Amino acid sequence: IKEKKLVGAEALIRWEKNGWNYPPREFIPICEANGFVRRIDFFVLNSVCQQIKDWIDRGIEPVKISINFSKLHFEKDDVAKRILHIINSWEVPHNLIEIEFTETTYTDKEDKLRSTLDLLKKGEVSSSIDDFGSGYSSLSLLQNLDFDIIKLDKSLIDTLITKEKSLKVVKNIVRMAKDLNMSVLAEGVEYKNEYDVLSELDCDMIQGYLFDKPLSTQEFENRLIQKHYTV
């Protein structure tokens, strides 16, 4: 926030068929129900690593890219090893990959998630807790698991300006995260006044339409070349 500089991005998947672009909400629930989402997650990770390697080879400085991983992976114990294997196979620096875990989906798999986070941290791959504040397990997860980044859910940001309670909640989450040596990223920021408040609260990073809407690979590559924003 302080430097108004691009420091990362989130890899998004879309399904294009017959000229129509299907949003994730229309096909990801189906893929979660039939287990296919596990193949999707690793496909996205592999694609991201391939793209980062291409940027490095062409002399373009990349930024950290985050990839979402479903809780279905934790039916097995090898998810961290598979993640590290893919990163290593493309010879991508580990600090350029971040794995996102949605806070509302892991309460029944906490032990396996803990071991996964430990292995990722040993491998210098960062992890984030996504949609923080959208459920009821947040504080328990923070107490028991060692994440690097907290991503504040858009529902908290949408009422940041209009509700004093929301402001106090975000303010104290940021302070708590700092005490726990975690960085804080606010999701879904669309307006300048939200940016100003989050900057005053010492939030580390912002993600949202105020800066960029979802970009194609080529559009994002252009953004990598010019990383600074005007707000």
Side-chain angles (χ1 to χ4, degrees):
I1 289 180
K2 302 297 184 183
E3 298 176 356
K4 300 178 182 177
K5 181 181 179 181
L6 178 71
V7 294
E10 180 176 349
L12 305 175
I13 190 164
R14 297 293 186 266
W15 180 19
E16 295 181 1
K17 184 178 180 181
N18 298 328
W20 184 257
N21 195 325
Y22 294 88
R25 66 176 180 272
E26 293 187 13
F27 65 90
I28 290 297
I30 299 172
C31 294
E32 287 181 333
N34 62 25
F36 190 70
V37 71
R38 285 175 293 209
R39 292 177 63 185
I40 289 178
D41 291 344
F42 280 109
F43 167 80
V44 173
L45 174 62
N46 188 75
S47 300
V48 165
C49 289
Q50 182 180 14
Q51 184 63 69
I52 290 176
K53 182 66 164 60
D54 176 65
W55 284 328
I56 292 174
D57 289 345
R58 290 192 287 129
I60 299 173
E61 182 186 11
V63 292
K64 180 182 292 185
I65 308 293
S66 63
I67 300 102
N68 288 279
F69 264 68
S70 165
K71 72 172 184 178
L72 295 182
H73 292 285
F74 296 95
E75 295 172 358
K76 298 182 179 181
D77 296 320
D78 64 344
V79 59
K81 292 180 181 178
R82 290 184 64 189
I83 290 171
L84 293 170
H85 174 73
I86 291 174
I87 298 171
N88 290 333
S89 69
W90 287 103
E91 299 180 342
V92 167
H94 288 200
N95 66 329
L96 293 177
I97 298 294
E98 175 188 321
I99 305 298
E100 291 191 20
F101 304 93
T102 303
E103 68 115 315
T104 56
T105 59
Y106 293 93
T107 52
D108 58 338
K109 301 180 185 296
E110 193 170 293
D111 289 340
K112 289 186 177 180
L113 178 55
R114 181 184 297 108
S115 64
T116 298
L117 294 178
D118 289 344
L119 285 174
L120 291 177
K121 188 172 288 290
K122 288 179 182 178
E124 299 182 339
V125 174
S126 64
S127 60
S128 60
I129 177 169
D130 196 16
D131 300 336
F132 187 85
S134 63
Y136 302 98
S137 57
S138 304
L139 293 179
S140 173
L141 289 176
L142 288 187
Q143 180 180 357
N144 299 320
L145 300 170
D146 192 12
F147 292 97
D148 299 296
I149 300 166
I150 293 176
K151 299 187 72 174
L152 300 179
D153 188 68
K154 187 178 186 302
S155 62
L156 292 173
I157 307 306
D158 285 343
T159 55
L160 184 65
I161 304 301
T162 58
K163 292 186 178 181
E164 186 177 353
K165 282 188 176 181
S166 295
L167 177 62
K168 290 181 178 179
V169 167
V170 172
K171 178 180 180 180
N172 283 282
I173 289 175
V174 172
R175 184 170 61 183
M176 177 180 62
K178 302 287 186 180
D179 288 342
L180 295 172
N181 296 316
M182 298 180 183
S183 299
V184 183
L185 184 152
E187 296 184 290
V189 177
E190 299 183 15
Y191 303 104
K192 176 66 163 56
N193 55 0
E194 294 170 345
Y195 166 89
D196 291 337
V197 171
L198 289 164
S199 181
E200 291 175 5
L201 295 180
D202 201 26
C203 182
D204 298 294
M205 295 169 283
I206 279 177
Q207 176 178 330
Y209 284 9
L210 178 63
F211 296 98
D212 280 309
K213 294 185 178 182
L215 304 174
S216 67
T217 302
Q218 183 57 55
E219 289 171 327
F220 183 70
E221 188 172 301
N222 294 336
R223 174 57 75 187
L224 280 177
I225 297 171
Q226 175 52 48
K227 289 185 171 68
H228 284 86
Y229 293 84
T230 56
V231 179

